[in-house]
Amino acid sequence: MFQQISILGPGLLGASLALALKERRLCQRVHIWSRRKETRQRAMQADWCDAIFDHAADACVHSDLVIICTPVETIVPLLKEIEPALTPNTLITDVGSTKATICRAAQHFDVHFIGSHPMAGSERTGMAHARANLFESAACILTPLEDVSTAQLTRLRQLWEAIGMRVAVSTPEKHDEIVAHISHLPHLLASSLCAYLAKKEPAWKDLAGGGLRDTTRVAAGDPTLWQQILEQNREEVLSAIQGFQNELDSLKTALHQNKTSDLLSKLEQGKQFRDSL
Amino acid sequence: MFQQISILGPGLLGASLALALKERRLCQRVHIWSRRKETRQRAMQADWCDAIFDHAADACVHSDLVIICTPVETIVPLLKEIEPALTPNTLITDVGSTKATICRAAQHFDVHFIGSHPMAGSERTGMAHARANLFESAACILTPLEDVSTAQLTRLRQLWEAIGMRVAVSTPEKHDEIVAHISHLPHLLASSLCAYLAKKEPAWKDLAGGGLRDTTRVAAGDPTLWQQILEQNREEVLSAIQGFQNELDSLKTALHQNKTSDLLSKLEQGKQFRDSL
């Protein structure tokens, strides 16, 4: 499918991608770059890595496809760094959780860039948790800009589909609105709940059941990665928080005013949505 | 350990309890009562059920222990109904998710009542999902009143421990404050989030990853059971919602005002709490 793919940032997503590409024989060679020497040394020993580079641009020379898998704030700077090393046909994508800032900035470079957001991951980050089946059955949102070539979009779609993903296409702005609601808001609620409970008596948590553990699992995610994501999607996230606060307020009012049928109706709406997931 | 145990309400908890008691040979006979004829017919065929009764009081005759496993609003009425059938030594407990209303009402009956709250369960309710290991490694909070006999409390503690639970003891009021935070609030947040997302475009949910599914799992629980729980613990739940709203507001402010270090610090507090669960 591809001759040579460069993966910049072999963390959970990048390393899982390399594993999946190799397992399904989707490319001849995988070139890896990592900012950290220690990660480069570990990647060098992995059989999903054909060559490792100290500089991102060097890792991209002669590649058909470059996949940027670093934290969202570093994606645009990396794009600038690798631009001179790319051939005219190189396709570039990323796996960042926000898309508008990144895709609109990419327009200023002379590159073929199409944003991707595979909705796969885990609160356990890092190469050590990588697995080839991370992407299977999950959704991947592609966010091509207006001027993208259909052929390039098709190539990218086929790549994600080849590793088992369900591909959807959206504008970067619509993507950011959607994930603010289905990913960033749930994360924020889990983090806020945990930050709130952290102020209570430590013994309480020993009494918690599986419900609290599930509800808060995502709060164990890397705080720096999430701070960057929330800040890059600030306006959409603020709007999603506001919408949620209104909903919570109306449920609180129903409980406060003893309006049983309103309370029940909210719980039923919630169950219906959850059952449909 | 016991000669005869009556289980009133063989739903997920009641039937799992019967299974666990039989598997570990903790009693000779299990007597079952269910309000619904259809449930009685199914229970009759189960090997964890030695006798089935149409009337709750009949199921309790000659029992050493009665465990009420019905929805919280029905526990006190059932206590009144079975009171005449009990022998002077019969110990009674329940598995309700709220304790103050129930335990304080039980004081008006001439019975040996000690509230229990096994922190085990699932959004999948009903006998069909029962399993003997439901309680293993989970916490169980006992809420004895001031006048309870130590011997009875010890018997009850040993029963829960014998099926694998970690037992904690608290006043009913303290119990209600704790579970408002570690169980009822998380449930409310999951339900509110789902009720909010239900108003958005239906296609969005096909894009959701495992994070949203985990965060909202408990919202699939039975709406009527939860409406009763939330209403019986109204004051404590309202206070927990308020505390959470303050926390969410401060996170929202940090994001709105671009205070990166405040935002990061909240996310870090959340992660630290979650990692400690």
Side-chain angles (χ1 to χ4, degrees), chain B residues 19-176:
Chain B
L19 271 166
L21 293 172
K22 283 288 181 180
E23 192 182 273
R24 304 196 184 208
R25 301 176 190 282
L26 297 170
C27 68
Q28 299 289 324
R29 291 174 60 78
V30 172
H31 282 195
I32 297 286
W33 166 81
S34 168
R35 193 177 306 276
R36 297 175 62 215
K37 188 178 177 186
E38 173 185 303
T39 308
R40 290 197 298 270
Q41 285 171 338
R42 271 186 295 138
M44 210 182 296
Q45 287 151 21
D47 50 12
W48 43 260
C49 170
D50 296 301
I52 187 98
F53 297 84
D54 291 358
H55 300 282
D58 295 344
C60 300
V61 174
H62 302 311
S63 286
D64 314 281
L65 174 66
V66 174
I67 309 176
I68 309 180
C69 303
T70 58
V72 291
E73 276 184 5
T74 64
I75 294 174
V76 177
L78 264 176
L79 206 51
K80 187 175 177 182
E81 195 177 326
I82 64 173
E83 186 187 12
L86 305 174
T87 50
N89 259 328
T90 310
L91 174 60
I92 308 172
T93 190
D94 73 320
V95 299
S97 297
T98 66
K99 293 270 81 88
T101 303
I102 294 165
C103 294
R104 294 300 166 191
Q107 276 189 303
H108 299 113
F109 299 98
D110 185 24
V111 295
H112 299 285
F113 182 87
I114 302 173
S116 300
H117 183 190
M119 301 292 290
S122 167
E123 73 284 7
R124 296 193 191 85
T125 50
M127 190 193 292
H129 297 106
R131 50 191 172 88
N133 66 355
L134 183 71
F135 306 96
E136 271 171 33
S137 305
C140 184
I141 311 176
L142 304 189
T143 58
L145 294 178
E146 299 71 17
D147 56 355
V148 81
S149 103
T150 312
Q152 295 277 42
L153 180 58
T154 302
R155 279 174 89 200
L156 188 60
R157 171 192 277 271
Q158 285 170 345
L159 177 82
W160 292 116
E161 286 175 347
I163 61 168
M165 303 202 87
R166 295 176 285 115
V167 171
V169 174
S170 153
T171 64
E173 290 72 21
K174 186 70 185 177
H175 164 276
D176 285 3

Side-chain angles (χ1 to χ4, degrees), chain A residues 119-120 123 139-141 166 168 174 177-178 181-183 185-201 204-224 226-228 230-231 233-235 237-245 247-261 263-264 266-277, chain B residues 119-120 123 139-141 166 168 174 177-178 181-183 185-201 204-224 226-228 230-231 233-235 237-245 247-261 263-264 266-277:
Chain A
M119 301 292 288
E123 73 284 7
C140 184
I141 312 175
R166 295 175 285 114
K174 186 72 186 175
E177 183 195 356
I178 298 171
H181 287 85
I182 64 171
S183 168
L185 176 62
H187 193 101
L188 254 172
L189 296 180
S191 293
S192 299
L193 177 57
C194 286
Y196 174 49
L197 295 181
K199 295 172 182 167
K200 302 291 176 179
E201 295 168 37
W204 289 13
K205 62 171 173 282
D206 299 332
L207 303 174
L212 183 66
R213 274 192 294 278
D214 282 356
T215 311
T216 58
R217 179 182 62 79
V218 293
D222 184 310
T224 307
W226 277 94
Q227 164 255 315
Q228 292 184 18
L230 297 172
E231 288 188 345
N233 202 17
R234 179 181 289 111
E235 294 312 317
V237 171
L238 286 172
S239 151
I241 296 174
Q242 187 58 56
F244 172 81
Q245 285 179 321
E247 186 68 40
L248 182 59
D249 262 332
S250 77
L251 196 148
K252 185 180 163 193
T253 303
L255 184 61
H256 181 66
Q257 298 180 350
N258 212 356
K259 291 182 173 165
T260 298
S261 66
L263 177 60
L264 193 56
K266 294 276 175 205
L267 295 171
E268 277 164 356
Q269 282 162 32
K271 176 175 171 56
Q272 196 174 13
F273 176 85
R274 182 57 182 76
D275 286 345
S276 76
L277 271 190
Chain B
M119 301 292 290
E123 73 284 7
C140 184
I141 311 176
R166 295 176 285 115
K174 186 70 185 177
E177 181 194 357
I178 297 171
H181 287 84
I182 64 171
S183 168
L185 176 63
H187 193 99
L188 255 172
L189 297 180
S191 293
S192 299
L193 178 58
C194 286
Y196 175 49
L197 295 180
K199 296 173 182 166
K200 301 291 176 180
E201 295 168 38
W204 289 13
K205 62 171 171 280
D206 299 331
L207 303 172
L212 183 65
R213 275 192 294 279
D214 282 357
T215 312
T216 59
R217 180 181 62 79
V218 293
D222 184 311
T224 308
W226 277 94
Q227 164 254 316
Q228 292 185 18
L230 297 172
E231 288 187 347
N233 202 17
R234 179 181 289 112
E235 295 312 316
V237 172
L238 286 172
S239 151
I241 295 174
Q242 187 57 56
F244 172 80
Q245 285 178 322
E247 186 68 39
L248 182 58
D249 262 332
S250 77
L251 195 147
K252 186 181 165 195
T253 302
L255 183 59
H256 181 66
Q257 298 182 349
N258 213 356
K259 290 184 174 162
T260 299
S261 65
L263 178 60
L264 194 54
K266 294 275 176 207
L267 296 170
E268 278 164 355
Q269 283 163 30
K271 177 175 171 56
Q272 195 174 14
F273 178 84
R274 183 57 182 77
D275 287 345
S276 76
L277 272 189

